[in-house]
Amino acid sequence: METLSLNKSYGGMQGVYRHESEATGTPMTFSVFVPEGEGPFPVLTYLSGLTCTHANVTEKGDYRAACAQHKIIFVAPDTSPRGDYVPDDEDYDFGKGAGFYVDATQAPFAQYYQMSSYIERELPEILAANFPVDMSRQGITGHSMGGHGALTIGLRHPRTFKSVSAFAPICHPSDVPWGQKAFKGYLGEDRAAWRQYDAVCLIEDGARTQQIMVDQGTEDQFLVEQLRPEALEAACKEAGIKLTLRMQPGYDHSYYFISSFMAEHIAWHAAALKR
Amino acid sequence: METLSLNKSYGGMQGVYRHESEATGTPMTFSVFVPEGEGPFPVLTYLSGLTCTHANVTEKGDYRAACAQHKIIFVAPDTSPRGDYVPDDEDYDFGKGAGFYVDATQAPFAQYYQMSSYIERELPEILAANFPVDMSRQGITGHSMGGHGALTIGLRHPRTFKSVSAFAPICHPSDVPWGQKAFKGYLGEDRAAWRQYDAVCLIEDGARTQQIMVDQGTEDQFLVEQLRPEALEAACKEAGIKLTLRMQPGYDHSYYFISSFMAEHIAWHAAALKR
C-alpha cells in the first residue's frame, strides 16, 4: 500500500492510498480519515456515486468534524477499476466511474469490474492490516449509486455491516434506467442474476438488516426516474425492517445536500456501533 | 448579476454568481451562502489564496454548518480578473489567480488588476443590492495571499470590517519572494507604494484594527520563506493591537488545515459582529 498524501485535519489524519487490488486486477485508490486518539475505532465506509472517485466526498463531504467528534474512521473507495486497459463506455453511467458495486460476469467487464468483492472482502482486509480499525464495528453508507452499494452490501452482510444508511440511493436498480443498463452490461440479460444487487429484491428474497436510515432530497432531479425510495419503503414495511426515510424538502442530488446531513449520519452510525 | 448555480445546503442557499465588474473591466464570479431565516445577516468575506477561484473554499471550506448555526452570510470572491484578454504570467504566483488584492498601477496589469477596489468598494455594493446583508456588520478573513488581503483590507478599513482573521496569511509581503514579485509587477519598483498593501507596514504607518485572529500550521511548507507571522506579531505588539496568533501543531497549508479551524473563525467573527 502506497501513501499518496497525508494531511492533518480536525486533529486526525486524512490520507489517500493506492494498492494493487487482487479483486479488480488494477491499482485502486481510496481515502481514509483516522481521528486523533488511541483506537481501535469503528469504521464507516462511504460508497460514492456515478462519475466520482474517492476525491469527491473527501473534499466536499464535510465528514471530518463529525468523525473527529465521534471517533470514527471514514473510508472512501473508488467507484470502479481504473486504467487505460480497463474497458469503458462513452456514457457517464456505465464503465469507469460506474462500477455499480457488482461482480461483473460479462465480457469484457468481468475481468476488472469486481467491485462487490473489492468492497466486501479485499478492502476490509487492507483496512484491518493498516489502520487502527475495530472490524467488529463497521457501518456502510453511500450516495446515489453508492447508496445502492451500501444498501445491497449491507443487506447481504448484516453481521459485518451493523449499520446501513444512504443518501439518495438507487433503491431498486432492476426497475430504473441506470440500473438496467448497468446490470445488462455487467451481469447479462438474466434478471435472476440481478436480484442480489438490488436492495428491494434482496429484501423480497429474505435479506434483512437491523435498521436503515435514508435521506432523500425532494428536489432531486433523479428522484422519480432513478431512485424510487417508495419501493424501498414498501419492501421494508412488508419485511418488518425499520427504515427511517427522511424526505428533505428543497434539497437536490449534489454534495450540498449530502454534506448537510453527513454529520447526522455519522452520529447515527456512531450510536449504532457503540460497544 | 447572473445566477450560475443555487443549491440548498444546511437549511440555507449556496449560490454562485457572475457580474460585469466596473473595477476590473471583466466578468467576476463569486459565491454567497445565505443561511435560513429572515435576515439581515452579518457578512463574512473570505479571500482565497494563490491559484484559487471562489470554488476552492466553496467546496472544501466546511463553512456552511457554522454559518447556518451563527446566521452569517459567507462571501467568496475570485482572486483575480479572468479572461483571454487579461494579461497573465506563466507562473502560478503572478497574474491570473494571483491578484494579491492590490490596485495595479503598472502596464499591462493596471487595466484589469484592480482587486483592492473590487473587494473594498464594488463587491460590497453588489452584496448590499442583492442579498439580505447587514453591511454595518462585516468581517473579513482569508487564506495565504487571501489572508494578506484580509489583513490589509481590514487594516485600511477598520470601520467597514469590524472583525479580521486569517489562515496562514502572507503577513509581510514586501519582505518575501511571493510579495516582492507581485508588488514589483503590479506596483513598480518604488517600495513606498507597497506599504499600503503590507499588513506589517500598514501597522508601522499607523493603521489599526480592534483585534486580529490568525491560525498558522507549524508544518506549513511556506511558513518560513513566505508567511512570517512573527513579523505581524512584533508589529501588533509594538502597536498595541490585540493579536491572537495560534500556532497549530502538525497542520500544513492546505484546505485540510483551513477547514479544521473554519468553524472557530466563524464563531469568532459572529461574536465580534453581534449587535
Side-chain angles (χ1 to χ4, degrees):
Chain A
M1 194 184 76
E2 180 190 358
T3 302
L4 301 184
S5 65
L6 204 52
N7 300 85
K8 187 168 179 183
S9 197
Y10 288 96
M13 290 303 277
Q14 178 63 60
V16 179
Y17 308 91
R18 185 168 50 202
H19 69 114
E20 292 296 325
S21 165
E22 276 181 42
T24 67
T26 66
M28 292 293 286
T29 302
F30 62 96
S31 81
V32 178
F33 176 73
V34 179
E36 198 172 14
E38 276 298 297
F41 303 109
V43 184
L44 179 60
T45 297
Y46 174 96
L47 304 180
S48 293
L50 288 168
T51 76
C52 290
T53 69
H54 72 283
N56 304 67
V57 73
T58 304
E59 295 178 351
K60 304 183 193 179
D62 282 22
Y63 59 79
R64 279 176 289 271
C67 286
Q69 182 192 339
H70 295 288
K71 300 290 180 193
I72 297 261
I73 287 185
F74 191 98
V75 180
D78 204 345
T79 54
S80 77
R82 306 273 176 184
D84 292 344
Y85 48 90
V86 172
D88 198 8
D89 186 83
E90 61 192 4
D91 290 336
Y92 74 97
D93 57 1
F94 188 66
K96 290 182 201 172
F100 266 84
Y101 306 101
V102 305
D103 281 354
T105 56
Q106 305 299 300
F109 299 98
Q111 188 180 355
Y112 301 107
Y113 287 78
Q114 298 292 315
M115 288 300 292
S116 171
S117 289
Y118 177 70
I119 301 293
E120 293 171 5
R121 185 178 52 72
E122 186 173 16
L123 183 59
E125 287 169 13
I126 298 281
L127 297 173
N130 293 282
F131 299 92
V133 288
D134 178 351
M135 298 306 278
S136 74
R137 294 189 287 157
Q138 289 186 71
I140 193 161
T141 187
H143 172 235
S144 194
M145 176 183 76
H148 142 73
L151 292 173
T152 54
I153 292 172
L155 281 162
R156 286 202 305 276
H157 304 280
R159 280 190 294 269
T160 305
F161 297 101
K162 298 196 166 65
S163 55
V164 180
S165 80
F167 302 86
I170 305 172
C171 294
H172 195 11
S174 307
D175 211 34
V176 304
W178 277 342
Q180 290 169 344
K181 177 176 178 180
F183 287 179
K184 274 181 198 156
Y186 295 132
L187 306 171
E189 295 285 342
D190 179 8
R191 295 177 68 104
W194 301 5
R195 296 185 68 83
Q196 64 178 309
Y197 298 118
D198 182 305
V200 168
C201 299
L202 277 164
I203 294 169
E204 288 172 356
D205 293 348
R208 294 293 180 267
T209 188
Q210 283 200 297
Q211 55 174 339
I212 300 171
M213 179 161 87
V214 170
D215 275 318
Q216 173 62 60
T218 62
E219 301 307 307
D220 187 322
Q221 58 270 47
F222 303 112
L223 174 53
V224 175
E225 193 182 6
Q226 306 282 8
L227 303 179
R228 303 278 174 88
E230 70 285 358
L232 179 67
E233 194 169 37
C236 284
K237 191 175 177 192
E238 176 74 21
I241 296 173
K242 187 183 168 195
L243 169 70
T244 305
L245 171 60
R246 312 192 303 183
M247 299 302 292
Q248 301 288 4
Y251 287 88
D252 60 27
H253 200 65
S254 71
Y255 270 93
Y256 295 108
F257 154 66
I258 302 168
S259 60
S260 300
F261 301 102
M262 181 64 87
E264 293 178 22
H265 280 244
I266 289 166
W268 183 85
H269 284 276
L273 298 172
K274 262 224 169 77
R275 257 190 300 256
Chain B
M1 194 184 75
E2 182 189 359
T3 302
L4 301 183
S5 65
L6 204 53
N7 299 85
K8 187 168 178 182
S9 198
Y10 287 96
M13 291 303 278
Q14 178 64 60
V16 178
Y17 307 90
R18 184 166 52 202
H19 68 115
E20 293 296 326
S21 165
E22 276 181 42
T24 68
T26 68
M28 291 293 285
T29 302
F30 62 96
S31 82
V32 179
F33 176 72
V34 179
E36 198 173 13
E38 276 298 298
F41 303 109
V43 183
L44 179 60
T45 297
Y46 174 95
L47 304 181
S48 293
L50 288 167
T51 76
C52 291
T53 69
H54 72 282
N56 304 66
V57 73
T58 305
E59 296 178 351
K60 304 183 192 178
D62 282 22
Y63 58 79
R64 279 176 288 271
C67 287
Q69 182 192 339
H70 295 287
K71 301 289 180 192
I72 296 263
I73 286 183
F74 190 98
V75 180
D78 205 344
T79 53
S80 76
R82 307 273 176 184
D84 292 341
Y85 47 91
V86 172
D88 197 8
D89 186 83
E90 61 191 4
D91 291 335
Y92 74 97
D93 57 0
F94 189 67
K96 290 181 199 172
F100 266 84
Y101 305 102
V102 305
D103 282 354
T105 57
Q106 305 298 300
F109 299 99
Q111 187 179 356
Y112 301 108
Y113 286 78
Q114 299 291 316
M115 288 300 293
S116 172
S117 290
Y118 177 70
I119 300 294
E120 293 171 5
R121 186 178 50 72
E122 186 173 15
L123 184 59
E125 287 169 11
I126 298 280
L127 296 173
N130 292 282
F131 299 92
V133 288
D134 178 351
M135 298 306 278
S136 73
R137 294 190 286 159
Q138 288 188 72
I140 192 161
T141 186
H143 171 236
S144 194
M145 175 184 76
H148 142 74
L151 292 174
T152 53
I153 292 172
L155 282 161
R156 286 202 305 276
H157 303 281
R159 280 191 293 270
T160 306
F161 297 101
K162 297 197 167 62
S163 54
V164 179
S165 80
F167 301 86
I170 305 172
C171 293
H172 194 14
S174 306
D175 211 34
V176 303
W178 276 343
Q180 289 169 345
K181 177 176 177 179
F183 287 179
K184 272 181 200 157
Y186 295 132
L187 305 171
E189 295 285 342
D190 178 8
R191 294 176 69 104
W194 299 7
R195 296 185 67 84
Q196 64 179 309
Y197 298 118
D198 182 306
V200 168
C201 299
L202 277 164
I203 293 169
E204 287 173 357
D205 293 349
R208 295 293 180 265
T209 187
Q210 282 201 296
Q211 54 173 340
I212 299 171
M213 180 161 86
V214 170
D215 274 318
Q216 172 62 59
T218 62
E219 301 307 306
D220 187 322
Q221 58 271 45
F222 302 111
L223 173 54
V224 175
E225 192 181 7
Q226 306 281 6
L227 303 179
R228 304 275 173 89
E230 70 284 358
L232 180 67
E233 195 170 34
C236 284
K237 192 176 175 188
E238 175 74 21
I241 296 174
K242 187 182 169 196
L243 169 70
T244 305
L245 171 61
R246 312 192 305 183
M247 299 303 291
Q248 301 287 4
Y251 286 88
D252 61 26
H253 200 65
S254 72
Y255 269 94
Y256 295 108
F257 155 67
I258 301 168
S259 59
S260 299
F261 302 102
M262 181 62 89
E264 294 177 22
H265 280 244
I266 289 166
W268 184 85
H269 284 276
L273 297 172
K274 263 224 166 76
R275 257 191 300 254

